[in-house]
Amino acid sequence: MRICWFLLAALPALAQNAGQVAYSENCAICHGAAGEGGSGPDLTSAAWQASMTDADLEAVIERGRPGTAMPGFAGRVNPKELISHLRALGRTAIRPTTDLQTPPISVSNEQLLRAGGERSQWLHYGRDYTNQRFSPLNQVHRGNVTRLAPLWSFQTGTPDGLQASPLVVNGVIYMTASWNYVFAIDARTGAELWRYRKRLPEKLKYCCGPVNRGVAIHGGTLYMATLDARLVALDARTGRVKWDVEVGRVEENHSCTGPPLVVGDRVIVGMAGGDYATRGFIDAYDAGSGKRLWRFWTIPGPGEKGNDTWSGDSWKTGGGATWMNGSYDPEFNLIYWGIGNPYPDYDGDVRTGDNLYTNCVVALDPETGALRWHYQFTPWDVWDYDGVNEMVLVDLKIGGRERKALVHADRNGHFFAVDRGTGEFLYAKPFVRVNWAKGFDAKGRPIVNPDALTNYEGVEVCPGAAGGKEWNAMAYSPLTRLVYVPVIENCAIFSNYGAEAKKKGLPPGPSGFRYLPNQAYGKVTAVHADTGEIAWEVRTRTPMGSGMLATGGGLVFTGDAEGNFTAFDDRNGKLLWSYQTGSGIRAAPITFELDGRQYVAIASGMAGAIRGYTGPGAPWMQNYRSGGTLYVFALFEPGASTRFHGGAKR
Ligand code: HEC
């Protein structure tokens, strides 16, 4: 009898024990002895524990996470015992010095409208609706930037690089990584608060890497557009999914990689896939429910104005993706969005006409999606010049007159200014070698050089398809009235083996382009916003594929493909400071102030190509092809130590 009582009392402890043994034998090697994380994620944080039900845990333990290092243990362990041990680990975990509680988060429409004045936040991809990427912060300035030192770094442990521009809200950094990870990180310490990863289907269709460029926020909700063309709403405090709705379909060649734009109570989302047979669009969703409110097709259908700029049925699959982000002007109540290249990219004979609205900026009513005006950077594009690069809203002084304008550095090699109320063309100036256009007429239509049209033999065209400038964001400083542009200087050989081959009775093949070896390089170029003239430029060894940040401290921050995070004097391009981050940089820097201290952050982690320049043919790239680390810098203060947060939390 006595023995029986003893056994009964000990049963839960035994179960716990069995779970503990199973854990030490099977899991500790990756998740740490106390579940604190190692090569596998931390299994102890309160937010994480709360976000996983027992059923979730059981499913992961049984089946693992296909495509990751997490093996399945079906039949090898007793999941119930393990779960009881995992719960115990959650209760007894040693907490980092921060309590790892995300502060309450609620970003109002008012705050989103005034994001430019929020010193401690970074609320939009381009900081505010103008997309200027200018912060007034000036604690770090030309005179002391040499004291800028890393305060902490955060390893995502995710593959395929980082391209995001993070948000900062109430002391929390929200950053995405490739494969639709989202990380919430304590901005003061680098401690991980939570992480989310979208379960993606096996079949995906994306042209240019499984990348993601950031989330948007509204109220207490984060929005991410995903590789499988869905829009996911996450609770900003816990990372828990609120809803997950369809934007497009993988079967129709859709994916999403760009950051959404929140305007009022609407989440505006673009899509990728224009290098395949598809028809592009921009969507708006209700921020609360995820219901789709409108869709703007980037290629007009039959009977609609502009449909006649496409020969035959080519409009149906004419591309026109919308894979980057938009800007918004509350005064005109218009959103501005760049539209991508027509499809097929290089074989224009099958889609003769201007191909509206590809390679355009469109101005849309955010309430209805109605088109107010458009301007086309490259009519009938046969060089994949795209047109998606960001629109930066700036009030210009032209001929003694103020013009409410937008400026845009296009892949086609020209820096444009367009009236953002009416769409009127103001100027276009080349900022790299250009031979496809001989100039612009008074209405802003490029005068195309017929010798640059793609043919069967191959023709050398400048810029090559990489631009000009890639999607990486430029910055504008109202202090200097200069726009800081990450530039790719290059030419390429373009060929048309489609219709051209047919005409000549030659064997057809995929049309395309090839780079000229060892000829591409980069520049950090400062352009006078009012005139489009170049103020100064600094040559970089590698094509520039990182975004820009301009600050009130007279600094321009950017990164390069070799991993250097750099600060230039905004007046003359003098290099004032640099830090080697250990992997190439493709993301964009941000800055914010907390507790009276200015922080500067950059995500480092190179994978995927700067349009072909990062392959084996580009030797400088080979050592910079992995990893993902967010670095946060502040001025070094002798004697001050960085805050310990209990190890690399995952
Ligand atoms: C070889 C290393 C490895 C081993 C062994 C391992 N894991 Fe994992 N585990 C991982 C990795 C890596 C992930 C993250 C997978 C991902 O990216 O989704 C993970 C994810 C998990 C998750 C899901 C975490 C989340 O937030 O989605 C749970 C739960 C988990 N592991 C539990 C266990 C348990 C219990 C064991 C032992 C029975 C175990 N793991 C053994 C590497 C491992």
Side-chain angles (χ1 to χ4, degrees):
M1 278 311 264
R2 282 172 71 182
I3 286 169
C4 271
W5 278 114
F6 169 78
L7 274 180
L8 274 180
L11 267 179
L14 274 179
Q16 173 91 21
N17 226 350
Q20 187 170 4
V21 171
Y23 180 86
S24 317
E25 284 175 357
N26 297 295
C27 324
I29 187 167
C30 295
H31 290 282
E36 73 279 14
S39 64
D42 174 10
L43 302 176
T44 64
S45 88
W48 181 83
Q49 286 264 346
S51 71
M52 294 288 275
T53 63
D54 285 3
D56 290 340
L57 285 173
E58 187 161 342
V60 179
I61 293 169
E62 295 263 307
R63 279 180 249 135
R65 281 278 163 79
T68 77
M70 173 66 199
F73 290 89
R76 294 199 285 148
V77 297
N78 177 337
K80 296 266 174 328
E81 290 170 355
L82 266 171
I83 290 165
S84 116
H85 183 63
L86 290 181
R87 294 301 184 204
L89 288 179
R91 285 191 298 275
T92 56
I94 301 163
R95 293 270 160 249
T97 48
T98 55
D99 64 0
L100 281 192
Q101 282 295 307
T102 315
I105 283 180
S106 181
V107 176
S108 65
N109 289 344
E110 209 36 41
Q111 270 179 295
L112 288 176
L113 283 166
R114 303 222 167 130
E118 300 255 352
R119 296 171 69 87
S120 61
Q121 325 265 29
W122 188 288
L123 297 178
H124 298 280
Y125 178 83
R127 190 160 189 277
D128 63 16
Y129 281 130
T130 64
N131 250 325
Q132 289 181 359
R133 301 193 78 83
F134 171 79
S135 164
L137 297 184
N138 59 7
Q139 185 178 77
V140 181
H141 54 70
R142 294 181 198 116
N144 65 10
V145 65
T146 50
R147 284 205 288 124
L148 201 59
L151 193 61
W152 55 259
S153 64
F154 175 87
Q155 298 248 326
T156 61
T158 54
D160 298 316
L162 300 176
Q163 297 199 348
S165 179
L167 300 186
V168 182
V169 190
N170 295 12
V172 179
I173 298 179
Y174 295 106
M175 181 176 75
T176 63
S178 291
W179 299 106
N180 294 123
Y181 282 86
V182 184
F183 295 89
I185 305 162
D186 183 323
R188 293 177 175 86
T189 65
E192 178 175 320
L193 301 167
W194 55 258
R195 72 167 57 189
Y196 164 81
R197 170 166 161 257
K198 176 84 165 77
R199 309 268 154 90
L200 292 163
E202 258 167 51
K203 265 209 179 137
L204 290 166
K205 191 96 181 249
Y206 52 85
C207 78
C208 315
V211 300
N212 187 275
R213 299 181 178 122
V215 286
I217 189 155
H218 175 268
T221 308
L222 297 171
Y223 302 91
M224 174 170 60
T226 67
L227 268 188
D228 57 343
R230 299 186 68 86
L231 179 65
V232 178
L234 301 175
D235 185 319
R237 282 195 83 175
T238 62
R240 207 181 290 193
V241 177
K242 291 186 167 177
W243 45 256
D244 174 344
V245 298
E246 178 182 293
V247 173
R249 296 172 56 89
V250 176
E251 301 76 46
E252 289 168 31
N253 300 326
H254 302 145
S255 61
C256 297
T257 51
L261 171 75
V262 170
V263 173
D265 298 329
R266 292 172 162 74
V267 188
I268 324 275
V269 184
M271 46 67 77
D275 298 314
Y276 305 111
T278 194
R279 182 180 175 210
F281 54 84
I282 299 170
D283 280 353
Y285 295 84
D286 180 79
S289 67
K291 186 173 168 261
R292 188 186 297 159
L293 301 172
W294 52 256
R295 167 165 292 184
F296 169 75
W297 290 104
T298 60
I299 304 180
E304 286 174 325
K305 196 170 148 236
N307 180 260
D308 59 356
T309 63
W310 295 85
S311 56
D313 274 349
S314 59
W315 64 273
K316 284 185 182 163
T317 52
T322 52
W323 53 274
M324 274 310 293
N325 65 318
S327 318
Y328 171 62
D329 184 331
E331 190 189 324
F332 294 113
N333 195 29
L334 287 176
I335 55 174
Y336 307 97
W337 211 290
I339 315 291
N341 56 278
Y343 174 88
D345 299 25
Y346 313 100
D347 189 353
D349 294 328
V350 299
R351 48 168 175 83
T352 50
D354 278 358
N355 301 155
L356 292 174
Y357 295 97
T358 63
N359 296 53
C360 283
V361 49
V362 293
L364 305 181
D365 180 331
E367 260 118 70
T368 60
L371 177 70
R372 291 285 175 255
W373 57 256
H374 76 276
Y375 169 76
Q376 192 168 34
F377 306 112
T378 319
W380 195 57
D381 172 19
V382 290
W383 309 279
D384 187 13
Y385 282 150
D386 236 310
V388 296
N389 291 350
E390 73 286 0
M391 311 298 153
V392 179
L393 311 190
V394 185
D395 294 342
L396 302 180
K397 292 174 198 146
I398 298 184
R401 212 177 126 199
E402 183 175 275
R403 298 300 296 251
K404 291 188 186 297
L406 61 81
V407 293
H408 164 90
D410 200 87
R411 284 241 293 266
N412 77 14
H414 297 89
F415 192 90
F416 290 87
V418 174
D419 185 305
R420 68 177 183 269
T422 61
E424 185 194 337
F425 168 80
L426 299 175
Y427 67 70
K429 300 278 169 65
F431 61 94
V432 288
R433 267 174 302 160
V434 170
N435 72 358
W436 70 272
K438 296 175 167 171
F440 289 77
D441 72 15
K443 289 218 145 136
R445 189 182 174 86
I447 301 157
V448 173
N449 171 8
D451 295 338
L453 295 175
T454 52
N455 61 19
Y456 192 82
E457 293 73 29
V459 54
E460 184 175 331
V461 183
C462 313
K469 170 187 168 292
E470 262 277 20
W471 56 270
N472 308 82
M474 58 192 191
Y476 167 76
S477 170
L479 304 178
T480 57
R481 303 192 64 76
L482 297 177
V483 185
Y484 303 97
V485 189
V487 168
I488 299 175
E489 187 69 75
N490 75 120
C491 306
I493 309 281
F494 288 79
S495 40
N496 179 342
Y497 299 135
E500 274 284 299
K502 222 183 267 168
K503 262 190 238 160
K504 298 194 162 130
L506 293 164
S511 302
F513 67 93
R514 106 188 114 76
Y515 290 104
L516 299 161
N518 299 324
Q519 153 276 21
Y521 60 92
K523 284 190 285 195
V524 175
T525 298
V527 176
H528 287 290
D530 295 320
T531 61
E533 300 296 337
I534 291 171
W536 54 258
E537 50 188 22
V538 177
R539 188 170 164 152
T540 57
R541 290 202 302 180
T542 50
M544 280 297 297
S546 162
M548 298 280 183
L549 163 71
T551 72
L555 297 170
V556 176
F557 287 93
T558 187
D560 68 25
E562 296 180 89
N564 301 300
F565 184 43
T566 44
F568 295 94
D569 186 324
D570 65 358
R571 297 167 300 191
N572 50 31
K574 189 168 169 236
L575 179 66
L576 298 178
W577 173 85
S578 82
Y579 179 85
Q580 171 52 247
T581 62
S583 182
I585 299 177
R586 298 239 45 203
I590 60 167
T591 188
F592 52 94
E593 179 186 271
L594 286 174
D595 319 317
R597 197 170 192 196
Q598 183 183 353
Y599 295 75
V600 182
I602 184 74
S604 157
M606 172 71 92
I610 301 181
R611 304 280 305 183
Y613 293 115
T614 51
W620 63 78
M621 278 317 310
Q622 285 171 16
N623 297 328
Y624 298 102
R625 275 188 63 87
S626 66
T629 308
L630 178 69
Y631 284 90
V632 170
F633 299 84
L635 291 180
F636 176 68
E637 287 165 16
S641 73
T642 60
R643 273 196 252 182
F644 180 65
H645 63 71
K649 297 303 291 182
R650 290 257 192 86

